[in-house]
Amino acid sequence: MSIKEKIYAVCVENKLLKKIYTSISYVKWKIYYKKNLVNPINEYKKSTKNPIFLIFTPEHANLGDHAIAYAESILLKKAGIKYYEITGKKLYELEQYGYLSILNHATILINGGGNLGILWPLIEKMNRAVITQNPDSKIYVFPNSIFYGNDDYGRKEFELSKKIYNNHKNLHLCARERISYDIMKDAYKSVELVPDMVFTLNESHDTLERNGCLWCMRNDVERTLSDEKEEKLKQQLVDIYGDDIKDSNTVLSYDVSVEKREEELKRKFNEFKLAQLIVTDRLHGMIFAVITGTNCIVINSKSPKMKGCYDWIKDLDYIAFIDDVENIDKIIDNFPDYPHEYDNKEFVKAIDKMISQIVV
């Protein structure tokens, strides 16, 4: 055991020493983050007339969230907006050590996704903290989904969020599908309906040889199919593709840094572009199929965000949205021949309109 470990062990056994040790440790880390996180932010604020922060971007394993941040970065740069990115990890560090208000008076852009409400309570808590501690900022919540449920806990949390959000004088929210829009429009002062950012990407231009099927299904609390229905679906695919069925996931087994974001996304897009068919109940499994021009069978999800976002692209003939797993062979036969050229122009136009308001 090292000297440092011995000191810690002694401190843990004594309440007073433990309190002193914790306080010293807190001060030490506060100084560290002041130097390595806060000072660079202050330097950026001093160097630009209208500082803009893109916050809550991912460093975790979910490529859907990374694709959202990637699309945001492309469109912001296209609009000539020079921004400073603060990931979710760094945002929590700012909040933990009392520096979150450093963003006040700047424009704050909160990363899009499915983060409003009680599904991800820590994220909602942070959203409230950002809004509360930066009262003089212009704040935009990029296209998001919302969920609070219908029980007492959900209603109580929703009322708290409404009070905090509506107390801010310059907060603007974007809903990425109609159900969330209707809920948010009734609750908040400034809301508009804007598609998921990832729809603005276009990865359909490369021609690759396609083979087999990618199985991109959830295995968590949002899982849609029962074991019996999943097995029935898989057997139909085996009858068509044999053993040329590969597992895929839009959530990796490892975290992805900002620096590796584009590389990992391109790798996943290429994986989709090499497949003849995607079968998925994941929102960004569907959207990745859309932007890569890949035939896709979308299994309706428990979450309304899936159907709501599908409505944006329901006219695409290479995306099939289903509620049951019958007659999969007929669905596949009805898909048009490759290649499929995805047209993202209307989505880019819609997002550009939203982004143009940021610099006003």
Side-chain angles (χ1 to χ4, degrees), residues 40-49 51 53 102-104 106:
I41 291 174
N42 274 328
E43 288 173 10
Y44 163 74
K45 289 181 73 176
K46 291 175 182 177
S47 69
T48 182
K49 185 178 180 181
F53 293 96
I102 193 175
L103 307 179
N104 200 27

Side-chain angles (χ1 to χ4, degrees), residues 6 10 16 62 80 90 99 107-108 130 138 165 186 207 237 255 258 268 276 284 289 293 302 304-305 308 347:
K6 289 179 180 178
V10 171
L16 177 60
N62 191 320
K90 291 179 180 178
Y99 293 124
T107 297
I108 300 173
V130 169
K138 181 190 287 187
Y165 283 36
D186 286 342
T207 301
L237 295 172
D255 289 340
V258 175
K268 182 59 64 175
Q276 289 182 333
H284 285 100
K302 292 178 181 177
K305 68 184 180 184
F347 292 114

Side-chain angles (χ1 to χ4, degrees), residues 210-273:
R210 295 177 177 270
N211 293 287
C213 171
L214 276 186
W215 177 267
C216 187
M217 298 288 285
R218 305 190 78 104
N219 192 25
D220 57 16
V221 293
E222 290 189 50
R223 180 184 176 194
T224 304
L225 298 181
S226 64
D227 289 341
E228 181 182 354
K229 287 189 175 181
E230 189 169 289
E231 183 58 35
K232 184 176 183 179
L233 173 58
K234 266 194 172 179
Q235 186 54 56
Q236 293 177 81
L237 295 172
V238 169
D239 291 343
I240 298 168
Y241 295 101
D243 60 358
D244 199 359
I245 302 172
K246 299 176 183 176
D247 288 334
S248 183
N249 206 326
T250 56
V251 179
L252 302 179
S253 59
Y254 50 88
D255 289 340
V256 177
S257 67
V258 175
E259 293 75 21
K260 290 287 186 179
R261 178 180 293 154
E262 182 174 3
E263 178 184 330
E264 292 292 347
L265 285 170
K266 294 294 183 179
R267 182 180 289 118
K268 182 59 64 175
F269 295 156
N270 282 334
E271 183 183 33
F272 273 54
K273 286 189 280 189

Side-chain angles (χ1 to χ4, degrees), residues 305-323:
K305 68 184 180 184
M306 180 71 87
K307 177 61 167 62
C309 288
Y310 168 75
D311 285 342
W312 291 103
I313 46 91
K314 61 185 178 183
D315 293 331
L316 291 181
D317 55 7
Y318 60 91
I319 307 293
F321 193 90
I322 66 173
D323 290 299

Side-chain angles (χ1 to χ4, degrees), residues 45 61 78 85 118 145 166 178 189 262 282:
K45 289 181 73 176
K78 176 188 166 191
E85 182 171 348
I118 59 174
S145 294
N166 286 327
R178 176 63 64 176
K189 293 182 287 188
E262 182 174 3
R282 286 189 172 276

Side-chain angles (χ1 to χ4, degrees), residues 281-292:
D281 60 354
R282 286 189 172 276
L283 173 60
H284 285 100
M286 175 184 74
I287 299 179
F288 287 4
V290 169
I291 66 174
T292 58

Side-chain angles (χ1 to χ4, degrees), residues 335-358:
F335 282 132
D337 294 334
Y338 282 109
H340 310 318
E341 188 67 31
Y342 172 59
D343 186 355
N344 65 341
K345 294 186 186 68
E346 289 301 315
F347 292 114
V348 172
K349 184 178 178 181
I351 301 295
D352 281 347
K353 180 182 178 183
M354 176 195 71
I355 288 178
S356 68
Q357 301 171 18
I358 294 171

